[in-house]
Amino acid sequence: MEIDSNTSFLNRIPSFMPGISMDFVVFGYKERTLHILMLKYLNTDAWALPGGFLPKDAEMDKVAHAILEDRTGVSNIFLDQFYTFNSLNRGWDCNDVSRNAFEKLRETWNKEEKETLDEWFGQRFISTAYLSLMNAQEVVPDPDYISDDCAWVPIEELPSVVLDHELMIQKALEYIRLRINYLPIGRSLLEEKFTMSDLQALYEAILGRKMDAGNFQRKMKKLNMLNRHEKLMTGAANKAPYLYSINDEVYDRLLEQGIGFT
Amino acid sequence: MEIDSNTSFLNRIPSFMPGISMDFVVFGYKERTLHILMLKYLNTDAWALPGGFLPKDAEMDKVAHAILEDRTGVSNIFLDQFYTFNSLNRGWDCNDVSRNAFEKLRETWNKEEKETLDEWFGQRFISTAYLSLMNAQEVVPDPDYISDDCAWVPIEELPSVVLDHELMIQKALEYIRLRINYLPIGRSLLEEKFTMSDLQALYEAILGRKMDAGNFQRKMKKLNMLNRHEKLMTGAANKAPYLYSINDEVYDRLLEQGIGFT
DNA sequence: TCAAAAGTGTTTCCAATACACCCATGA
DNA sequence: TCATGGGTGTATTGGAAACACTTTTGA
């Protein structure tokens, strides 16, 4: 399915389920750091997670894929629903950042639009949040109709965000840590070919702790999920590391029962 | 908060968020078997999970507690949101059981009610599902306005159920198994005092596999989360087991970081 | 004295960790 | 030849699992 970008957002409002939205915590990995895909709203300094609404006649998962494909150009995205945020106090007046952002955003609306949009965004929303994983290196994100920037933000330098998006990010981090053994982080977050220390750095970034390189290497090899390729000559004055790629068949099997990896 | 049972369901419909519902997979434990709390709809043989709708001005978690308190009489219920079901094809016409049950149910409605109720139940619904845990032995469940029976059904003998409730149960089972180390199963599912083999049988029921009694006992003791009490004299011709209770302080601490128990 | 379940002791195995040490690479 | 990571070897520890064995209970 595709986002219908010929029809204006305003005109599509009646086709959406009222009170239901979706948000996406998209983890990307580059420069050995976890990043999150974020949008900067039009005319503001406020950042937000990508999101969208649910057409009455569409499957939520398909809409989710379509929205993210629209943002990133990537199809075949890994997506996992992780929580539905439902607090009464998660509207645009829940904190200063949101209030200000919403005011600024309203200034970009015409007089005719204002009534409908105010009503729509003023509703109580329940938002189902998805976790997504992609290789930040090869994805150049695009803003949507409501924002003028879309970028990978390093997880250590998160800006102030609107609504309850900070809580969403926090919950997503808990989720990815808890389910690391069941999520295709190796396949979704890395390049096709990677070194063992790339992979280790990824695990360290997610789990937030250092590991022993020797032990990491042995454990990974034992799982039998990696194909070894040629060495990577970086020009650095040290032993050149092997490149690896993922053996999809074995990887899928391991993921099903949970990769045994602490 | 309390369910307002003076006002009829019909009159409360306008106060609900449209298109949003809640369902509950309530696990209970008795007779060494996992049970699920189920309702039998009025005038039908169709069973369903307990559920409800979300008043526009209420917190979902509070409503969840209120609904289950209404069903079971228990306050302080353990509840954990685990998934939001959103398929387009989860309405009352999604399968034969649901279609038939809905027809039978409609026969119990007055002419005046029919239009409103048809419209309400005919909507597309997104349903947020909660996992709950309680001691089935001490809970005598009550039917709600839509059903004439409410009972603990052994998990091995589940009847045919309406809508996507079977999928919900399956997902809830996956969830409880995956998160067993983070859920207060010992505290929520057992009596105040229990024997070690009660506890072991509970783990076995949830995980669906047998364990070695000796090893189980030693592992549990090492966690230091149990207080030992007097022996339980059953009259059986064998050594009497000690009774244990849970040391809440230690238990809470263990649950936070995940009880180390495979 | 016996059967049955509770509970303890013991052995074996393997994963996790720590860390020493060798290897390859370019300066 | 040196510094720097890559990668291997090895010793230690502790938990998991298997199972023999002892204890307690009422018949």
Side-chain angles (χ1 to χ4, degrees), chain B residues 65-66 68-69 72-79 132-134 187-188:
Chain B
H65 276 93
L68 284 190
E69 183 164 354
T72 62
V74 182
S75 49
N76 284 59
I77 292 172
F78 175 82
L79 270 172
S132 177
L133 306 172
M134 51 183 85
R187 180 160 53 208
S188 299

Side-chain angles (χ1 to χ4, degrees), chain B residues 16-59:
Chain B
F16 293 142
M17 298 281 291
I20 296 172
S21 64
M22 304 154 71
D23 285 292
F24 304 94
V25 182
V26 185
F27 286 107
Y29 185 65
K30 63 175 180 179
E31 293 144 23
R32 303 224 154 180
T33 316
L34 269 188
H35 291 66
I36 293 181
L37 187 67
M38 303 208 77
L39 299 159
K40 192 168 79 59
Y41 282 170
L42 286 170
N43 196 29
T44 75
D45 291 322
W47 290 78
L49 295 174
F53 303 105
L54 176 62
K56 286 173 176 160
D57 60 355
E59 288 291 355

Side-chain angles (χ1 to χ4, degrees), chain B residues 156-258:
Chain B
E156 311 290 352
E157 310 164 17
L158 289 182
S160 62
V161 298
V162 299
L163 299 171
D164 53 353
H165 290 191
E166 192 166 335
L167 179 61
M168 288 183 179
I169 292 170
Q170 193 188 308
K171 274 256 186 190
L173 268 171
E174 279 172 29
Y175 186 82
I176 195 177
R177 281 177 187 151
L178 186 65
R179 303 202 43 144
I180 192 168
N181 288 326
Y182 299 85
L183 297 170
I185 56 166
R187 180 160 53 208
S188 299
L189 291 168
L190 296 173
E191 307 273 323
E192 169 77 19
K193 289 184 183 177
F194 48 86
T195 67
M196 197 57 88
S197 80
D198 287 335
L199 186 58
Q200 183 182 339
L202 172 58
Y203 270 91
E204 291 177 342
I206 292 175
L207 296 176
R209 59 184 164 85
K210 294 286 171 199
M211 298 169 166
D212 179 278
N215 294 333
F216 185 89
Q217 182 133 189
R218 230 170 310 108
K219 268 199 278 188
M220 269 300 162
K221 281 196 181 145
K222 199 162 203 175
L223 291 175
N224 242 351
M225 51 172 262
L226 298 180
N227 303 317
R228 189 157 89 170
H229 303 282
E230 74 282 4
K231 290 185 174 182
L232 172 70
M233 303 308 235
T234 58
N238 55 43
K239 186 167 171 179
Y242 287 104
L243 285 168
Y244 294 87
S245 66
I246 286 189
N247 179 331
D248 285 313
E249 202 190 319
V250 178
Y251 195 51
D252 287 331
R253 191 152 19 89
L254 285 175
L255 283 179
E256 264 176 41
Q257 6 151 4

Side-chain angles (χ1 to χ4, degrees), chain A residues 136-196:
Chain A
Q137 211 126 31
E138 54 184 38
V139 171
V140 183
D142 270 333
D144 64 3
Y145 60 92
I146 215 178
S147 47
D148 54 16
D149 196 4
C150 186
W152 291 110
V153 181
I155 208 168
E156 312 290 352
E157 310 165 17
L158 289 182
S160 63
V161 298
V162 300
L163 299 172
D164 54 353
H165 290 191
E166 192 167 333
L167 178 61
M168 287 183 179
I169 292 170
Q170 191 189 310
K171 274 255 186 191
L173 268 171
E174 279 172 29
Y175 186 82
I176 195 178
R177 282 178 185 150
L178 185 64
R179 305 203 40 144
I180 193 167
N181 288 326
Y182 299 85
L183 296 170
I185 56 166
R187 180 159 55 209
S188 299
L189 291 168
L190 296 173
E191 308 273 324
E192 170 77 20
K193 290 184 182 177
F194 49 84
T195 67
M196 197 57 87

